[in-house]
């Protein structure tokens, strides 16, 4: 009985060691793939979480190891989308092509209660402002389903920083 018990312990230790190595390899591949940039985090995050949960059957749930990897990738993508230098270049190009004689003398008043989640159509009269609004909304839409609460401050400060840079 003693020899069988030691042999069983060695097999579990060997399996755990092998499994740990394979999970670490998966996490490295995932991190490098996320760093190269993707458009949609939702499906990859869902599949990775399901994959991590499936290992809980053998006592190796690695979902907590996925959080920092996705957090870093989401943060990087959001900061890249709202890069103030790229936004300034886009705004200056838009301003160069703007015909000031075609602008209305004063903007139309906005309705007091706007129920829709879309920007007002009056933005189309001001292409530079429309470009900034589009960049902000696009970057927010890309992370809306997967943004962790810990990134709320970064999202707020990055958006405010962009707006302050443009003023």
């Amino acid at each position: 009985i003693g020899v069988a018990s030691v042999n069983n312990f060695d097999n579990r230790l060997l399996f755990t060691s092998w499994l740990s190595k394979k999970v670490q390899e998966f996490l490295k591949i995932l991190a490098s793939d996320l760093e190269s940039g993707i458009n949609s985090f939702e499906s990859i995050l869902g599949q990775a979480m399901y994959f991590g949960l499936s290992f809980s059957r053998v006592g190796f749930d690695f979902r907590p190891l996925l959080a920092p990897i996705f957090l870093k990738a989401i943060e990087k993508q959001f900061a890249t989308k709202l890069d103030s230098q790229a936004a300034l270049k886009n705004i200056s190009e838009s301003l160069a092509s703007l015909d000031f004689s075609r602008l209305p003398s004063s903007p139309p008043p906005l309705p007091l209660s706007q129920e829709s989640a879309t920007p007002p159509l009056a933005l189309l009269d001001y292409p530079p402002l429309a470009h900034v609004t589009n960049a902000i909304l696009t970057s927010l839409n890309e992370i809306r389903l997967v943004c962790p609460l810990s990134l709320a401050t970064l999202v707020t400060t990055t958006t405010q920083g962009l707006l302050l840079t443009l003023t």
Side-chain angles (χ1 to χ4, degrees):
I1 293 179
V3 174
S5 168
V6 170
N7 194 16
N8 191 20
F9 176 75
D10 288 343
N11 288 340
R12 282 187 300 183
L13 185 60
L14 182 62
F15 176 69
T16 304
S17 175
W18 176 82
L19 193 57
S20 176
K21 183 179 182 213
K22 292 301 177 184
V23 166
Q24 290 302 322
E25 287 177 17
F26 169 73
L27 294 174
K28 285 179 185 176
I29 291 169
L30 178 67
S32 68
D33 285 351
L34 288 176
E35 189 160 317
S36 66
I38 60 170
N39 290 335
S40 175
F41 286 102
E42 297 91 28
S43 66
I44 294 175
L45 178 62
Q47 291 173 9
M49 287 296 184
Y50 184 76
F51 182 52
L53 177 64
S54 69
F55 277 70
S56 68
R57 293 182 179 188
V58 291
F60 213 84
D61 185 354
F62 64 90
R63 290 177 297 169
L65 300 175
L66 294 171
I69 294 171
F70 276 96
L71 182 72
K72 182 180 174 186
I74 293 167
E75 178 180 340
K76 180 184 174 197
Q77 181 168 340
F78 185 78
T80 302
K81 292 285 184 179
L82 284 188
D83 179 34
S84 59
Q85 294 303 320
L88 282 173
K89 181 182 175 202
N90 194 5
I91 293 295
S92 62
E93 289 173 359
S94 186
L95 279 174
S97 66
L98 184 63
D99 184 11
F100 289 103
S101 64
R102 294 184 40 205
L103 290 177
S105 59
S106 64
L110 294 174
L112 293 177
S113 64
Q114 185 174 355
E115 294 295 325
S116 75
T118 60
L121 290 177
L123 276 178
L124 295 176
D125 292 334
Y126 307 95
L129 188 56
H131 286 296
V132 171
T133 303
N134 191 33
I136 292 171
L137 291 178
T138 300
S139 57
L140 289 173
N141 275 332
E142 286 181 3
I143 64 168
R144 70 186 164 113
L145 296 176
V146 295
C147 188
L149 188 57
S150 60
L151 285 183
T153 304
L154 174 88
V155 168
T156 305
T157 55
T158 304
T159 307
Q160 288 175 343
L162 173 67
L163 294 174
L164 287 173
T165 303
L166 297 176
T167 56

